[in-house]
Amino acid sequence: MLLLASLAAVVGAASAAVDVPSARSLAAPPFTYNRTHFLLHGAPYQIIGGQMDPQRIPRAYWRARLQKARAMGLNTVFPYVFWNMLEPTQGQWRNTGENDIAAFARIAQEEGLYIVLRPGPYVCGERDWGGFPAWLATVPGMLVRSSNGPFLDAAEAYVRRLARDLRPLAASRGGPVLMVQVENEYGSFGNDHNYTAAIRNMLHVNFDAVLYTNDGTEQWTLEGGSVPGVLAEIDGDPRPGFKALRQYITDPSQQGPLLDGEYYTYGPDIWGSGNAHTTSQGRAQVVRQFVEDVDYALGNESASISMYMVHGGTNFGWSNGALWQDKLTAWTTSYDYGSPIDESGRSTDLYHTLRSTLHKYVPQGSIPDIPPDIPRMQIPKFGLTPMALLFDTVGQRTTREAPATMETLGQAYGFTLYEHIAKSSVSGILRPGDRPRDRVLVYVDGLRQGVIDSQYQQPLAVNVQLNPGSKLQLLVENLGRVNYYSRGTVYRNDLQDPYKGIRGNVTVNGRVLKGWDMYPLPLDDISTLSLSPDLPSNGSIPILYRGYFVVDHPSLTVPAALDTFLAVPNGVKGNVWVNGFHLGRYWRVGPQQSLYLPGTVVKAARQLNEVTVLELAPHMVEGPMIAVGQSNRTWSNKPDEECLDCT
Ligand SMILES: *[C@@H]1O[C@H](CO)[C@@H](O)[C@H](O)[C@H]1NC(C)=O
Ligand SMILES: *[C@@H]1O[C@H](CO)[C@@H](O)[C@H](O)[C@H]1NC(C)=O
Ligand SMILES: *[C@@H]1O[C@H](CO)[C@@H](O)[C@H](O)[C@H]1NC(C)=O
Ligand SMILES: *[C@@H]1O[C@H](CO)[C@@H](O)[C@H](O)[C@H]1NC(C)=O
Ligand SMILES: *[C@@H]1O[C@H](CO)[C@@H](O)[C@H](O)[C@H]1NC(C)=O
Ligand SMILES: *[C@@H]1O[C@H](CO)[C@@H](O)[C@H](O)[C@H]1NC(C)=O
């Protein structure tokens, strides 16, 4: 009550434009807290949580993953909500399938788990643009994560619509939702307290739940991110974290029980020859540290914790984000994260270790038995037949004097093809706009000239020679919009510059090329492509291949037995779809060498399963194009054949 009263005062003072909380939301909730404890129905409650994002997990597997989390000893699950999947087009709400967050929360409740909801609107999460929908980039005057009218309007519409689905699931109404996070580690990014107050107010008005913030453990991150009337918490190492909370959070309206809202149980993988898979497997010292930290938080401090991630899942399709630090760091399709429950839902050694640790902090016999790991299948290798040149599948053309960005063309993800017919001769180094955004494959008259890859600080300098009538084609891949920027670094704030494709002029030897035909290639519905198997396949233009496999297995009620890891061993870089479902990107450089194929998209009982592969660098590596389903996963790195000397 003290908290809500002080919040009401702050809301009134900070922003007259926002409604004061309604009388109903002031009713005593069954979940609350005092200065030292979370209280569930009045009794002390220690949150033993883990992060799991429903939109990264096939819906049919939600229950199995939640059961695994419960059987590890968790009592609470922390899901991020990805706005861009819920509202892919402004005003169109898509809350079915993996986006049905309310259904996820209900299943969690059935499995004995509470929910701490992390709806953003910005979530970071190694997701494209931190979860923002790409259409925000086309709204005039947009400045994300700030007191900016267009941004707050869009954010409020999202929050209001999301709350329609989730407010009925608040603990105060008998549901599982205990708390809702305000923004996400905002203090790393900025210190506009008007902005965070506005987000607080919209969450407060729309959700019936305790609010909290979660920030890094520096003084400036805590001061920037904490919000009057909202419980302040930290992430990372709990020792400096809790110390910093005690030291820097001095406003009583922000003080309360301790929660480490993101205790990292390893980390996400990054594409690149030099980037190994992150895992604690075989690293005894790392695992000992995890156990010590969890013991410290739950035992010595009697604090609450959420392990990030308890189960990472998959960045299916185009959904991964990136970082910019004078070069692009792109997260892999796999979001295995080295987490206790691996990408395919298996209990790892870390799972068993942490489970024994958690046993000490919960009543004897309260942790369920561990559900068994479901067998994965193997698919013998099968051939892939070339069906079409990617450039022959383009649709809608836009013609302009200067290139337009992907967003301006109404496209969110995938590739955009830019074509220019030379009017005069010019030769020299090609510059694809202000900078490569992000990976630019260059062709002249159908022959590949090279790749300008922003993942390198020094990408290849691609020289071209154009004569009158020469056709220059630039295939530009969006490798993931930046999901994180910290004001503690000297780097550019790419959260405010999310544009993909080409921005600015294309020049050759400093001369501006005018006159462009542009073709979006979002590849979001490959069933519309007309493919036929009579293609000469010796060129360097990206090729769409197709192959089929059957599973000699009776039809199943438990599709998990059809899980596998699909590999394209002689592929260099590209994408894979199975029965139209976009698994995501593959790339020979690793560390990911196979794509998680959930059994949920596989057809059993000798039906045909259709595999479509887009290979961006055909014939660069020796050997036939084949695919294979592996029951055991291997991680490894290989040289980047397309950019051998790039650094
Ligand atoms: C918070 O509530 C718990 C449980 O009732 C109690 O033990 C504790 O003393 C309370 N703390 C404060 C500061 O009131
Ligand atoms: C916050 O709002 C107040 C009152 O409207 C205004 O005076 C102040 O300049 C704003 N601060 C920022 C950082 O926008
Ligand atoms: C944590 O508690 C354990 C067991 O009571 C004790 O041995 C240890 O010294 C404590 N660690 C810290 C950092 O306080
Ligand atoms: C692109 O080139 C045109 C023509 O030279 C010039 O007017 C325009 O300012 C350039 N645009 C940018 C973004 O540099
Ligand atoms: C591909 O093969 C055809 C037929 O053998 C040949 O005419 C063509 O020049 C080749 N194309 C390339 C790019 O090598
Ligand atoms: C997969 O790994 C398991 C456990 O390490 C092992 O028992 C099994 O033989 C492996 N299977 C294959 C096909 O390599």
Side-chain angles (χ1 to χ4, degrees):
M1 291 311 291
L2 178 88
L3 170 86
L4 289 168
S6 67
L7 174 55
V10 170
V11 169
S15 170
V18 174
D19 292 343
V20 168
S22 68
R24 189 160 44 114
S25 63
L26 293 169
F31 181 79
T32 184
Y33 61 90
N34 64 19
R35 181 69 183 77
T36 52
H37 291 75
F38 290 112
L39 300 166
L40 188 59
H41 304 295
Y45 183 74
Q46 187 169 35
I47 297 172
I48 303 180
Q51 180 95 12
M52 191 190 283
D53 304 324
Q55 290 155 296
R56 279 184 161 121
I57 307 167
R59 181 182 177 137
Y61 290 164
W62 283 352
R63 189 179 297 278
R65 303 293 190 263
L66 289 162
Q67 284 171 343
K68 276 273 170 89
R70 180 75 196 97
M72 193 173 111
L74 305 192
N75 56 27
T76 307
V77 162
F78 287 55
Y80 272 140
V81 179
F82 304 134
W83 178 6
N84 58 339
M85 291 177 74
L86 278 157
E87 197 181 359
T89 303
Q90 185 166 21
Q92 283 179 23
W93 194 250
R94 201 197 278 171
N95 60 350
T96 56
E98 281 71 30
N99 298 325
D100 191 348
I101 314 296
F104 179 81
R106 278 192 292 269
I107 296 172
Q109 187 172 28
E110 285 162 16
E111 297 302 330
L113 291 158
Y114 287 96
I115 293 282
V116 171
L117 194 69
R118 315 184 75 195
Y122 164 84
V123 297
C124 187
E126 286 75 65
R127 296 291 283 192
D128 189 281
W129 207 7
F132 289 144
W135 55 259
L136 282 181
T138 64
V139 177
M142 178 65 55
L143 263 187
V144 298
R145 304 187 81 189
S146 64
S147 331
N148 162 273
F151 180 71
L152 290 177
D153 288 348
E156 189 168 18
Y158 155 72
V159 165
R160 206 183 310 120
R161 184 60 192 82
L162 182 69
R164 242 166 76 191
D165 295 344
L166 284 156
R167 183 185 174 110
L169 295 174
S172 56
R173 298 165 182 226
V177 179
L178 304 178
M179 299 207 288
V180 176
Q181 187 192 359
V182 177
E183 240 270 354
N184 187 77
E185 298 169 341
Y186 174 74
S188 305
F189 176 80
N191 57 5
D192 175 354
H193 290 96
N194 293 353
Y195 163 63
T196 44
I199 299 292
R200 172 201 62 199
N201 294 350
M202 65 179 77
L203 291 170
H204 182 72
V205 167
N206 286 287
F207 287 91
D208 247 354
V210 170
L211 302 182
Y212 78 106
T213 53
N214 210 84
D215 280 288
T217 59
E218 305 294 330
Q219 181 170 4
W220 60 275
T221 54
L222 277 167
E223 286 177 358
S226 57
V227 184
V230 175
L231 176 63
E233 302 289 7
I234 51 92
D235 53 31
D237 184 342
R239 274 162 258 259
F242 294 155
K243 182 162 176 272
L245 268 182
R246 292 186 171 108
Q247 196 174 346
Y248 304 126
I249 297 299
T250 52
D251 171 353
S253 80
Q254 303 172 1
Q255 294 172 329
L258 303 173
L259 162 69
D260 186 342
E262 287 189 11
Y263 176 69
Y264 304 110
T265 52
Y266 235 72
D269 284 339
I270 299 163
W271 288 122
S273 300
N275 303 325
H277 170 54
T278 59
T279 176
S280 59
Q281 197 76 24
R283 292 179 173 143
Q285 180 48 41
V286 170
V287 175
R288 259 198 305 279
Q289 188 65 54
F290 289 164
V291 171
E292 269 180 39
D293 292 347
V294 170
D295 272 331
Y296 174 78
L298 294 178
N300 300 60
E301 292 280 13
S302 301
S304 290
I305 198 169
S306 174
M307 282 167 256
Y308 190 103
M309 307 289 294
V310 65
H311 170 55
T314 309
N315 292 318
F316 288 115
W318 309 111
S319 61
N320 67 280
L323 299 180
W324 178 275
Q325 293 170 317
D326 59 27
K327 61 178 182 176
L328 193 88
T329 294
W331 309 113
T332 57
T333 299
S334 170
Y335 199 65
D336 180 90
Y337 213 90
S339 54
I341 305 167
D342 78 9
E343 188 179 3
S344 68
R346 296 242 169 157
S347 319
T348 62
D349 292 348
L350 179 61
Y351 178 95
H352 295 285
T353 304
L354 290 174
R355 184 174 191 260
S356 333
T357 307
L358 298 181
H359 253 280
K360 290 184 271 179
Y361 304 100
V362 297
Q364 283 303 304
S366 70
I367 301 184
D369 290 343
I370 305 173
D373 289 332
I374 295 148
R376 289 185 297 239
M377 66 169 179
Q378 284 180 294
I379 305 167
K381 70 179 184 203
F382 55 97
L384 298 168
T385 309
M387 304 290 280
L389 298 177
L390 180 67
F391 296 173
D392 291 342
T393 69
V394 296
Q396 186 72 41
R397 180 179 66 192
T398 301
T399 301
R400 299 226 182 128
E401 196 67 351
T405 63
M406 180 179 276
E407 295 77 11
T408 310
L409 296 170
Q411 185 187 352
Y413 312 108
F415 302 84
T416 309
L417 177 63
Y418 295 82
E419 283 187 3
H420 167 81
I421 307 292
K423 289 165 205 96
S424 53
S425 297
V426 60
S427 66
I429 293 180
L430 180 135
R431 302 221 182 275
D434 59 355
R435 61 190 165 97
R437 294 170 180 253
D438 302 298
R439 197 167 184 276
V440 185
L441 289 159
V442 182
Y443 306 82
V444 174
D445 293 329
L447 290 176
R448 182 187 162 110
Q449 310 294 305
V451 59
I452 310 171
D453 187 342
S454 64
Q455 291 169 108
Y456 296 104
Q457 206 168 330
Q458 272 133 6
L460 280 185
V462 175
N463 270 282
V464 296
Q465 157 86 55
L466 302 181
N467 301 315
S470 297
K471 184 197 263 187
L472 172 68
Q473 290 170 304
L474 306 176
L475 181 69
V476 187
E477 179 175 1
N478 167 1
L479 287 170
R481 293 187 182 80
V482 162
N483 61 268
Y484 177 79
Y485 163 80
S486 169
R487 64 194 163 108
T489 68
V490 297
Y491 303 114
R492 202 182 40 233
N493 180 357
D494 258 26
L495 282 177
Q496 307 294 12
D497 182 8
Y499 302 97
K500 297 300 184 186
I502 295 177
R503 197 172 198 214
N505 287 313
V506 176
T507 60
V508 172
N509 194 24
R511 195 196 298 174
V512 174
L513 302 185
K514 292 184 194 168
W516 291 89
D517 288 338
M518 295 167 279
Y519 304 90
L521 283 162
L523 303 179
D524 45 10
D525 182 5
I526 58 152
S527 70
T528 61
L529 302 178
S530 69
L531 305 181
S532 62
D534 54 4
L535 185 79
S537 74
N538 54 346
S540 56
I541 302 279
I543 293 175
L544 286 152
Y545 292 84
R546 188 156 275 173
Y548 298 88
F549 69 89
V550 293
V551 179
D552 202 3
H553 200 300
S555 69
L556 292 174
T557 49
V558 186
L562 302 178
D563 278 13
T564 190
F565 292 108
L566 201 71
V568 183
N570 300 323
V572 173
K573 186 178 190 313
N575 296 67
V576 178
W577 291 257
V578 175
N579 297 325
F581 179 83
H582 189 179
L583 296 185
R585 296 174 233 254
Y586 65 87
W587 198 9
R588 187 176 180 80
V589 294
Q592 180 174 2
Q593 294 294 346
S594 56
L595 291 161
Y596 174 49
L597 167 53
T600 50
V601 302
V602 173
K603 297 177 193 166
R606 300 209 61 79
Q607 296 173 76
L608 228 42
N609 287 280
E610 181 190 85
V611 177
T612 308
V613 172
L614 168 63
E615 171 54 52
L616 295 169
H619 321 300
M620 190 163 279
V621 166
E622 291 262 343
M625 279 297 278
I626 55 165
V628 60
Q630 299 165 340
S631 58
N632 284 357
R633 170 167 240 174
T634 53
W635 306 88
S636 67
N637 297 95
K638 292 179 182 150
D640 183 356
E641 308 285 344
E642 296 174 87
C643 220
L644 279 171
D645 299 323
C646 297
T647 54

